[in-house]
């Protein structure tokens, strides 16, 4: 994370066998959840190699990251993007099928970075220019007024160089908007620890803190212009209750949630391959996300 050397072991994360929308033949060990004592970020360790992650994401499903629910975090990202004066050229890093970009004014020039060719083709059909499959392959002189990184940073093993790479493509006065889980939310630190839903997904490996973003921005010659706390999505009351219960079961015992999940799959005759491990996908129950805006001076 920040390069610090003092860290604290918060405990073991349960194994997972569902990755990028696909059931894996063998589970990925969960490793442990750690806290950096220098910058207060959280991270998973040990993790897989870059090549192993690449292979797993490549085999992922095209529609896996899309959804039709009311995403409260996206409303915050949209309002920060619309609030930056004169913003006309926007880049969404990890744009998926272009759901978020399609919600921005049609007068804006909208570009996406997307490694999945299936998802990229869906985005292109909606008038979104796929600028490159990865940030590293973007032409060096490409500049954008707004760069959004939504539900991506928690998947990146080295978030500092990743943010640096994105920041280099900001126009003077431009803004980088990161939407992800709040690494410092008290319910995670104080109650659920390594059994918090957000770190239960095997794809989620790094959770930068506010001091991490501030240090990063300073090193890049920018500044954190704002941090907005938000829930991930809007939930009906009954959904809120059911999802809250699922988090409690996982907290008591991840194995208990596995047994319940396997039992439900057996009852409904779910097709093979079936999951052996279940993560509580309870986004929206807690106000555990944040939208961090990093501004580049000038313009
Ligand atoms: Zn650190």
């Amino acid at each position: 994370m920040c390069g610090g050397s003092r860290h604290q072991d918060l405990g073991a994360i349960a194994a997972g066998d569902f990755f990028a929308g696909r059931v894996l033949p063998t589970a990925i060990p969960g490793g442990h959840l750690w806290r950096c004592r220098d910058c207060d970020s959280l991270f998973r360790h040990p993790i897989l190699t870059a090549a192993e992650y690449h292979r797993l994401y490549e085999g992922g499903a095209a529609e896996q990251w899309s959804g039709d629910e009311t995403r409260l975090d996206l409303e915050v990202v949209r309002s920060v993007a619309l609030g930056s004066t004169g913003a006309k050229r926007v880049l969404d890093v990890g744009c998926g099928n272009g759901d978020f970009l399609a919600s921005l004014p049609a007068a804006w020039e909208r570009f996406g970075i997307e490694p999945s060719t299936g998802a990229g083709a869906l985005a292109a059909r909606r008038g979104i220019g796929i600028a490159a499959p990865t940030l590293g392959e973007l032409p060096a002189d490409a500049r954008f007024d707004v760069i959004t990184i939504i539900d991506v940073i928690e998947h990146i093993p080295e978030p500092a160089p990743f943010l640096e790479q994105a920041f280099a493509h900001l126009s003077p006065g431009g803004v980088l908007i990161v939407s992800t889980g709040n690494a410092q939310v008290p319910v995670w630190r104080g109650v659920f620890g390594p059994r918090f839903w957000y770190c239960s997904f095997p794809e989620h490996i790094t959770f930068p803190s506010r001091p991490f973003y501030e240090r990063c921005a300073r090193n890049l010659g920018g500044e954190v212009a704002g941090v907005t706390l938000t829930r991930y999505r809007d939930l009906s009351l009954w959904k809120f209750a059911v999802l809250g219960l699922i988090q409690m079961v996982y907290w008591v015992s991840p194995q208990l949630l596995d047994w319940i999940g396997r039992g439900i799959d057996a009852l409904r005759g779910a097709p093979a391959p079936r999951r052996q491990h279940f993560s509580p996908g309870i986004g929206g129950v807690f106000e555990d996300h944040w939208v961090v805006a990093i501004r580049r001076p000038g313009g």
Side-chain angles (χ1 to χ4, degrees):
M1 301 296 292
C2 72
S5 57
R6 302 176 308 131
H7 41 256
Q8 174 190 6
D9 186 353
L10 300 183
I13 303 173
D17 61 0
F18 194 71
F19 195 104
R22 223 174 28 138
V23 180
L24 304 178
T26 46
I28 301 174
H32 278 226
L33 182 68
W34 299 79
R35 170 180 164 261
C36 172
R37 290 187 192 271
D38 290 316
C39 72
D40 206 32
S41 293
L42 302 181
F43 60 95
R44 182 196 289 262
H45 180 81
I47 56 171
L48 303 179
T49 64
E52 286 169 313
Y53 283 119
H54 184 80
R55 189 178 54 77
L56 286 167
Y57 283 115
E58 221 173 29
E63 292 272 17
Q64 61 184 303
W65 312 117
S66 66
D68 54 3
E69 75 251 322
T70 307
R71 285 274 302 273
L72 301 173
D73 65 321
L74 295 187
E75 284 172 19
V76 177
V77 175
R78 199 176 299 117
S79 81
V80 174
L82 292 170
S84 61
T85 49
K88 286 288 185 289
R89 237 174 112 81
V90 59
L91 177 75
D92 187 23
V93 181
C95 70
N97 62 15
D99 274 346
F100 175 69
L101 286 169
S103 77
L104 294 176
W108 287 24
E109 284 184 84
R110 295 169 291 179
F111 298 92
I113 298 274
E114 181 49 54
S116 155
T117 47
L122 292 171
R125 235 178 282 158
R126 304 164 89 172
I128 287 147
I130 298 301
T134 64
L135 205 46
E137 292 164 84
L138 203 57
D141 59 351
R143 292 291 179 277
F144 303 90
D145 304 302
V146 175
I147 300 178
T148 54
I149 301 175
I150 301 162
D151 291 346
V152 166
I153 198 117
E154 66 275 12
H155 301 244
I156 307 290
E158 299 267 8
F162 180 79
L163 286 176
E164 184 180 350
Q165 215 170 24
F167 191 86
H169 291 285
L170 270 186
S171 308
V175 63
L176 191 65
I177 308 172
V178 181
S179 180
T180 184
N182 173 355
Q184 294 175 291
V185 69
V187 72
W188 189 353
R189 297 300 182 89
V191 183
F192 297 110
R195 293 184 179 178
F196 191 50
W197 75 280
Y198 197 66
C199 60
S200 70
F201 302 114
E203 299 99 326
H204 290 188
I205 54 182
T206 52
F207 314 101
S209 64
R210 184 170 181 149
F212 175 92
Y213 289 112
E214 282 167 353
R215 193 182 301 190
C216 228
R218 248 193 334 269
N219 291 344
L220 298 171
E223 57 164 3
V224 172
V227 177
T228 310
L229 305 186
T230 178
R231 285 194 296 134
Y232 188 66
R233 58 181 163 171
D234 204 15
L235 296 174
S236 60
L237 195 60
W238 75 266
K239 235 180 173 177
F240 177 88
V242 170
L243 296 183
L245 182 66
I246 291 172
Q247 169 66 80
M248 295 309 287
V249 169
Y250 188 77
W251 179 49
V252 170
S253 161
Q255 288 72 32
L256 180 56
L257 188 64
D258 289 346
W259 292 331
I260 293 170
R262 290 175 206 161
I264 290 172
D265 273 359
L267 283 174
R268 69 185 180 97
R274 281 187 194 165
R275 294 176 69 166
Q276 296 302 305
H277 301 282
F278 290 81
S279 313
I282 64 142
V285 171
F286 302 110
E287 191 184 68
D288 55 16
H289 271 62
W290 56 14
V291 175
V292 180
I294 300 174
R295 191 171 297 281
R296 183 183 195 125

